[in-house]
Each structure stands twice: as structure tokens, then as C-alpha cells.
Amino acid sequence: MLLKTFGWSFAITAAGLALAGILWGWQGLAIVAILSVLEISLSFDNAVINAGILRKLNPFWQKMFLTVGILIAVFGMRLVFPVVIVAITAKLGPIEAVKVAIQDHDRYEQLVTSAHPAIAAFGGMFLLMIFLDFIFEDRDIKWLAWLEKPLARLGKLDTLSTVVSLVVLLIAATTVATSVPVHGGSGTVDKSATVLLAGIGGLVTYLIVGGISGFFEDRLEDEEDEESEEAAPAAKGGASLVGLAGKAAFFMFLYLEVIDASFSFDGVIGAFAITNDIFMMALGLGIGAMYIRSLTVFLVRKGTLDDYVYLEHGAHYAIGALAVILLITIKHEINEVVTGLVGVVLIGLSFLSSVVRNRRETEPGDGSEAKAEVSSGV
């Protein structure tokens, strides 16, 4: 099971490190290895969130997540995306932007870093919406009941997540965004308008992609309920169900990719603390991204989220923390170690809480019935 799931990750790691050693020597190999560890530490909560969504998809879309999805993650977000950001912010043509990325590493780093306020606002708002929609939903299983119960009651207001996000965005735009330090120079610059525009873009992206995927998922569940109630479903009904399942899966896959993109923002920016070589970054972060995706599939196939029911809660709290950290980094620099540790600690605590819950559930009798309840997430 372990080798089957992580086999490609191990192979790509060996090939990637060997390539780094050949191209850049021992120093390049070490940098690529460090970047891989950085990406894994920053994105472990991403794997848990992805697993919660991926388990709803069939094996075909799970394979798409590991094949087409990893190409988007590595080449799209770790290689192409920073170059696109440079082209837009510096008003360069695509070819010129590529030349800057390859030939002028210092200028490339400066241009990408100067675009950080917009990137942080977009990703921060998208991730904040994920956290708020989770925490405002009334769930049967609650980790921090003293906090989640009152928030679930407040969550009965349908637009509360959007309102809270907009308030947070306004606060960020009128505080940290008003005096952003100039990269590589002295003085500050006002990025309020940029942060507002990018933050609204992140919010709109979440509402569109998340809304469409949720709509098709609900429609699919309704169709399945109707099919189970009918003794002999009509042929037309069966055909629509297949088509609807395909649409639902596609938009959920798209939603997964947007989530992964939002999680990758801090890794791409943080990588500049280690190197400004675009190819080293793409290789190191790509190796880390491959492990995160393999870990996602592993969690789905092992049913880990069903066995340890608070893991998903811990991951969403980590997402909320990351969203706030991203908004703070518009002005203030926060070490990547701190960002990574926050997520690891929250997920670790949720895992330990799940273990304690499982032991408590098995204490009354022989444990067979309780184990069944725990594994089913009841």
C-alpha cells in the first residue's frame, strides 16, 4: 500500500535530486532537498483538506489528481505562475518575462516579491472562506465544542462567511496594506487598492468555483436518493445521473486545483529565502508537491479521516491560521518555520484528540460496535 501510493514520489525524488546534482552540484542538490522539505511542512494541512474532497471522487478522478493535477501543480503554480505574475506586475511581454526569470535572478526575485501583497490577499481570502464555511457549519462531530457550537448557531445566517471575509479584507487594506516596505530599498508604499482588488478576486473565485462544485454535488446526491427509492429507474434518469456525476467530479477537481494553488503561494514566496533560481524552485517545490498529493491519496485509501475524525477540524483551523498569516505578511515578514509549525501543531493536536476519542469509545464493551462507529465517522 505504502509503496504503491508513494512509489512515484520516491522515483521522482531520486530523479530530481540526481538532476540537481548534475546541473548544480552538491550545493544545488542540498537546496532542492531543503525546498522539498519546506513544501511538505507548509502543505501538510493541504493534504488533509484535499483528502476530505478527494474521497468523494471515483478512482478515475483520483488518478487525474495525481497525473494532470501534479502537472498543474509543478509546472503551472511553481514554474509558470511566478513568471505570469512578473509579466503582469512589471508589464512585460511573456518572452521578456521568461528571459528575466532565467537570466536576471535578482530582478526576478524583486518583481515576484513586490507582487506579494496581491498574491497574499488573493490566497488569504480564498483560504479564509474555506475556514469560515467549515467553522460556521453545524456538524455532528465537534472538536472544540465550546467554540464550534456558538459559531454554528451564528452560521445559520447564509452570508455570514462572506461578510466576515469582507470585514477582514477591509481591516487588512486599511492597516497592513497602507505602508508596505519596498523590497530591496528604503521607504514604504501604499498597496491598499491592490490588496482590496486582489482580495475581492480571491473571494469571487471561491464563490464561483466552490459554489458550482457544491451545486453539482448536491444535485448528484439528490439524484442518487431518487434512484435508490425507485424500483426501476427510467433510462433517461440513469443517463442524466452519469452526466451529472461527470460535471460534479470536474468542478470538484477544479476546486481542488484552486485550493492547491492558494496553498502554494506562501511556498513560492518563501522559497526566495533559499534561492532565486526559478528551476531550482520548481524542482524542489515540485518534489514536495508530489509527496503532498501522494499523501492525500494515502489518507483517502486508508480511510484516515474516518478513523481520526478531528483531523479535518485541525486542518481547517490550520487553514484559518494560514489565511491570517498571509494577510499579515503583506507588511510584516514571518518566518516559514513559524508558518509550517502552526499547521503541524494544530493537526498534531487534532490527531491526539482523535486517538483519545477512539480509546474512550472502545472502553465500555468489547469495542467492536464503537470501532464501527468511529470508522464510519459517527
Side-chain angles (χ1 to χ4, degrees):
M1 175 68 177
L2 187 65
L3 184 60
K4 181 180 179 181
T5 306
F6 288 90
W8 277 107
S9 296
F10 295 150
I12 290 175
T13 300
L17 293 178
L19 181 62
I22 294 172
L23 294 177
W24 304 295
W26 288 106
Q27 183 179 2
L29 187 151
I31 290 174
V32 169
I34 292 171
L35 288 171
S36 301
V37 175
L38 171 69
E39 178 70 10
I40 294 171
S41 64
L42 289 175
S43 302
F44 186 80
D45 47 353
N46 189 14
V48 178
I49 297 300
N50 286 350
I53 300 172
L54 194 65
R55 62 180 172 176
K56 302 176 184 178
L57 303 180
N58 60 28
F60 169 79
W61 284 101
Q62 291 181 9
K63 290 179 180 177
M64 289 288 288
F65 180 72
L66 274 176
T67 52
V68 176
I70 194 63
L71 291 176
I72 296 173
V74 175
F75 295 103
M77 290 308 304
R78 275 75 178 181
L79 189 62
V80 177
F81 171 74
V83 176
V84 172
I85 289 296
V86 167
I88 294 174
T89 57
K91 298 180 180 178
L92 302 175
I95 297 177
E96 188 177 357
V98 171
K99 287 182 178 179
V100 170
I102 297 175
Q103 300 174 359
D104 193 346
H105 294 166
D106 292 335
R107 187 186 177 201
Y108 173 72
E109 177 183 354
Q110 182 179 359
L111 291 173
V112 174
T113 306
S114 65
H116 175 66
I119 297 171
F122 183 95
M125 293 307 296
F126 189 92
L127 295 177
L128 183 61
M129 282 295 295
I130 294 176
F131 167 70
L132 292 176
D133 274 353
F134 179 87
I135 202 67
F136 285 142
E137 183 178 347
D138 190 9
R139 299 176 180 277
D140 294 333
I141 297 176
K142 295 177 175 63
W143 180 30
L144 305 178
W146 58 271
L147 176 62
E148 294 172 15
K149 284 183 178 179
L151 289 178
R153 286 195 290 269
L154 290 174
K156 293 179 180 179
L157 299 173
D158 293 337
T159 60
L160 185 60
S161 297
T162 305
V163 171
V164 172
S165 295
L166 287 173
V167 170
V168 171
L169 179 60
L170 286 174
I171 293 173
T174 55
T175 54
V176 293
T178 55
S179 56
V180 178
V182 177
H183 178 72
S186 58
T188 60
V189 61
D190 189 346
K191 291 282 187 178
S192 299
T194 300
V195 167
L196 274 174
L197 185 61
I200 292 174
L203 179 62
V204 170
T205 301
Y206 174 84
L207 292 175
I208 292 175
V209 179
I212 292 175
S213 61
F215 169 77
F216 280 116
E217 183 182 2
D218 292 341
R219 285 282 302 274
L220 179 60
E221 291 177 356
D222 292 341
E223 289 284 344
E224 289 176 341
D225 291 340
E226 291 178 6
E227 290 292 327
S228 62
E229 293 174 359
E230 296 178 4
K236 182 178 179 181
S240 64
L241 180 59
V242 174
L244 188 60
K247 291 177 182 178
F250 170 75
F251 281 106
M252 290 190 74
F253 174 78
L254 181 61
Y255 181 51
L256 272 174
E257 293 305 315
V258 177
I259 290 177
D260 182 77
S262 300
F263 272 97
S264 70
F265 291 152
D266 58 333
V268 171
I269 299 298
F272 282 107
I274 300 170
T275 181
N276 56 14
D277 188 303
I278 183 173
F279 296 112
M280 280 190 186
M281 281 193 285
L283 186 57
L285 297 178
I287 291 174
M290 186 66 192
Y291 276 100
I292 292 301
R293 288 178 177 253
S294 296
L295 179 60
T296 298
V297 174
F298 180 79
L299 293 175
V300 171
R301 292 175 178 172
K302 291 288 289 185
T304 305
L305 298 185
D306 292 329
D307 294 336
Y308 303 97
V309 294
Y310 297 138
L311 269 181
E312 204 166 357
H313 294 72
H316 278 88
Y317 281 110
I319 282 181
L322 177 57
V324 174
I325 288 173
L326 278 173
L327 294 176
I328 293 174
T329 58
I330 291 173
K331 179 177 180 179
H332 304 285
E333 185 176 348
I334 298 179
N335 193 286
E336 291 75 24
V337 174
V338 175
T339 305
L341 282 178
V342 168
V344 170
V345 169
L346 287 170
I347 292 176
L349 290 174
S350 65
F351 174 78
L352 291 176
S353 297
S354 299
V355 172
V356 172
R357 177 184 186 274
N358 291 352
R359 289 178 178 175
R360 190 187 306 123
E361 291 288 333
T362 57
E363 283 178 0
D366 59 5
S368 58
E369 294 181 3
K371 288 180 181 178
E373 290 180 353
V374 170
S375 63
S376 63
V378 176

